[in-house]
């Protein structure tokens, strides 16, 4: 399917180095963005969407979601939460490990099988159109080189440290190094213990372990001491993920420290849901709004922190609006009835975006209005359509 969007007020690229792309038109074909600019072969499109002057951004990438199997969370006993996140503009979820699977295994054979099974269950399954990167192996003592080789062969590329049966957090170091040797992106739980039996993980541990990502560095939900934050910034190159289901004060502290040293590309926005804090379809939008309205982050930079920054660290082809990237796009605007007239001013005011349309894999999933955000000021509508497809309720 070839899809074109025209009449875009501003293209928020998701690339933190060049966060606004010039032009008003994006064309996609077979799941890939083919052109971004002022020209675009709209006449050849199967579907065209009039953005009505609102802004476009890449689909949000939530790099901390506790999926299990199917579109179901045992933690909150809720069906359909992933599909609901699509209505918050989230087009990609990355598994923070399948730790919520009831009775989840704790032996190396079990955690390996769990990661492989989860990975395979989401290879083609897209709830609401969302891409789910599942299968994040929970690092446990006893996992061997051959286990990692098996997992790599079966496509597992995520490893999570923090819930394993290790005497101290330092003992994760060789396992994270082993995961890296087998091509995996590694994440380490940061802050106070989040589940019974897990211990607090602070800067000393992270600096020794050297993972790719400090998971919920702001605390998940309990933060490490303030003195540990500048150490992590200065003594490591780890990506620092801030989560909605965590400590807001330390989220703002992380943003300030990274801004001061000119490294905002290390900040990743995610939710850490579903958890005890619940299910948050709009969680990323809230954290973006907090960083902009309270933390001094420019709004188009906050978009990049929730899209392109995550894509770079997790090596995804989504997260940026540019030719050749995955066609995952969201149309956003200020919400109807608010005091601001466009999406970026709304964030500065502490409001969230209204989501008007979500496109994933080059397919419009809905056009008109999100189920979860307030209505937008401007209206997006299908201008022309020559395929048998419905685009959700246009109300
Ligand atoms: Zn988590």
């Amino acid at each position: 399917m070839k899809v074109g969007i025209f009449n875009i007020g501003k293209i928020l690229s998701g690339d933190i180095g060049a966060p606004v792309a010039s032009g008003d038109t994006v064309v996609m074909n077979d799941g890939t963005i083919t052109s971004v600019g002022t020209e675009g072969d709209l006449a050849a499109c199967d579907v065209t969407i009039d953005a009505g002057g609102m802004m476009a951004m890449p689909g949000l990438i939530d790099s901390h979601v506790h999926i299990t199997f199917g579109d179901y969370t045992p933690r909150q006993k809720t069906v359909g939460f992933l599909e609901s996140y699509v209505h918050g503009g989230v087009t990609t979820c990355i598994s923070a490990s399948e730790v919520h699977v009831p009775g989840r295994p704790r032996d190396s054979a079990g955690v390996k099988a769990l990661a492989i099974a989860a990975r395979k269950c989401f290879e083609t399954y897209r709830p609401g159109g969302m891409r789910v990167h599942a299968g994040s192996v929970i690092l446990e003592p006893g996992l061997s080189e051959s286990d990692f080789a098996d997992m790599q062969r079966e496509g597992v590329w995520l490893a999570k440290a923090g819930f394993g049966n290790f005497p101290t957090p330092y003992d994760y170091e060789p396992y994270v190094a082993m995961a890296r040797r087998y091509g995996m992106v590694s994440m380490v739980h940061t802050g106070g213990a989040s589940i019974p039996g897990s211990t607090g993980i602070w800067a000393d541990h992270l600096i020794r372990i050297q993972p790719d990502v400090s998971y919920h560095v702001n605390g998940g939900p309990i933060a490490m001491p303030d003195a540990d934050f500048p150490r992590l910034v200065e003594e490591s190159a780890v990506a620092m993920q801030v989560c909605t289901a965590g400590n807001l004060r330390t989220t703002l502290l992380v943003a300030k420290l990274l801004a001061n040293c000119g490294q905002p590309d290390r900040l990743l926005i995610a939710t850490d849901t579903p958890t005890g804090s619940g299910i948050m379809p709009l969680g990323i939008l809230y954290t973006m709004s907090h960083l902009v309205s309270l933390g001094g982050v420019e709004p188009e930079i906050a978009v990049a922190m929730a899209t392109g920054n995550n894509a770079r660290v997790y090596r995804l082809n989504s997260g940026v609006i540019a030719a050749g990237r995955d066609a995952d796009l969201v149309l956003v605007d200020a919400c109807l009835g608010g005091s601001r007239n466009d999406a970026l001013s709304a964030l500065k005011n502490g409001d969230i975006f209204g989501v008007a349309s979500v496109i994933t894999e080059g397919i419009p999933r809905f056009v008109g209005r999100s189920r979860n955000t307030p209505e937008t000021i401007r209206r997006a509508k299908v201008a022309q359509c020559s395929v048998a497809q419905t685009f959700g309720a246009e109300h």
Side-chain angles (χ1 to χ4, degrees):
M1 188 193 294
K2 193 166 182 180
V3 176
I5 310 177
F6 63 98
N7 201 10
I8 300 170
K10 193 175 263 190
I11 299 172
L12 309 170
S13 73
D15 174 357
I16 200 161
V20 177
S22 60
D24 57 13
T25 303
V26 177
V27 177
M28 300 152 265
N29 192 17
D30 278 344
T32 303
I33 296 171
T34 53
S35 77
V36 179
T38 49
E39 310 266 309
D41 191 4
L42 294 171
C45 286
D46 303 300
V47 180
T48 58
I49 296 168
D50 181 349
M54 71 175 72
M55 300 187 190
M57 68 172 184
L60 301 172
I61 299 171
D62 191 341
S63 55
H64 198 135
V65 179
H66 285 285
I67 57 130
T68 55
F69 290 96
D71 193 356
Y72 172 66
T73 164
R75 180 56 56 93
Q76 294 299 339
K77 299 181 170 48
T78 301
V79 173
F81 76 100
L82 291 168
E83 188 261 348
S84 187
Y85 279 39
V86 174
H87 281 257
V90 180
T91 57
T92 299
C93 277
I94 297 171
S95 174
S97 81
E98 289 73 28
V99 72
H100 290 173
V101 168
R104 65 111 174 156
R106 290 166 188 276
D107 62 312
S108 51
V111 291
K112 172 177 145 185
L114 177 60
I116 293 171
R119 156 93 194 149
K120 298 200 173 202
C121 284
F122 279 98
E123 265 174 355
T124 56
Y125 173 47
R126 281 177 166 264
M130 177 191 285
R131 164 71 77 193
V132 178
H133 293 287
S136 178
V137 62
I138 303 161
L139 297 177
E140 291 279 5
L143 282 167
S144 66
E145 295 270 349
S146 71
D147 290 327
F148 280 98
D150 289 346
M151 287 190 279
Q152 182 185 42
R153 194 174 54 247
E154 300 301 337
V156 174
W157 61 278
L158 296 163
K160 169 75 181 276
F163 300 136
N165 186 26
F166 291 92
T168 80
Y170 295 117
D171 298 301
Y172 282 113
E173 184 193 0
Y175 289 85
V176 166
M178 193 150 43
R180 183 169 290 127
R181 284 202 293 283
Y182 290 89
M184 296 185 187
V185 177
S186 56
M187 288 78 70
V188 175
H189 176 100
T190 307
S194 78
I195 57 171
S198 62
T199 57
I201 300 180
W202 296 359
D204 273 337
H205 303 118
L206 286 154
I207 290 164
R208 173 91 70 84
I209 298 168
Q210 292 290 338
D212 295 300
V213 183
S214 163
Y215 249 20
H216 50 60
V217 68
N218 59 314
I222 305 306
M224 62 184 180
D226 279 12
D228 283 35
F229 287 91
R231 290 198 54 212
L232 207 50
V233 168
E234 290 157 19
E235 297 175 41
S236 82
V238 65
M240 300 175 78
Q241 182 197 66
V242 298
C243 288
T244 316
N247 182 318
L248 173 59
R249 189 183 62 79
T250 52
T251 292
L252 301 176
L253 174 62
V254 169
K256 188 166 156 230
L257 290 169
L258 288 174
N260 288 348
C261 68
Q263 298 179 354
D265 55 313
R266 286 173 64 186
L267 194 149
L268 315 181
I269 299 174
T271 62
D272 190 10
T273 57
T275 47
S277 300
I279 295 163
M280 296 184 178
L282 307 183
I284 288 192
L285 295 177
Y286 283 119
T287 296
M288 288 166 62
S289 173
H290 296 156
L291 284 168
V292 173
S293 62
L294 303 173
V297 174
E298 289 303 317
E300 61 275 18
I301 297 294
V303 169
M305 288 168 166
T307 57
N309 281 8
N310 276 306
R312 189 190 72 255
V313 170
Y314 287 93
R315 310 173 203 148
L316 305 180
N317 194 42
S318 56
V320 172
I321 299 180
R325 305 294 290 248
D326 293 350
D328 292 354
L329 250 90
V330 179
L331 294 179
V332 293
D333 196 14
C335 296
L336 193 63
S339 64
R340 295 299 184 270
N341 189 41
D342 68 78
L344 297 184
S345 313
L347 277 196
K348 282 192 172 174
N349 192 52
D351 296 329
I352 56 165
F353 287 160
V355 171
S357 181
V358 170
I359 293 161
T360 72
E361 212 183 2
I363 300 168
R365 305 298 174 170
F366 65 87
V367 178
R369 185 180 172 181
S370 151
R371 206 169 70 217
N372 290 332
T373 70
E375 201 168 347
T376 49
I377 294 175
R378 296 166 185 78
R379 297 301 179 100
K381 58 178 190 294
V382 176
Q384 170 260 328
C385 178
S386 59
V387 293
Q389 158 114 10
T390 56
F391 299 102
E394 291 188 41
H395 45 224

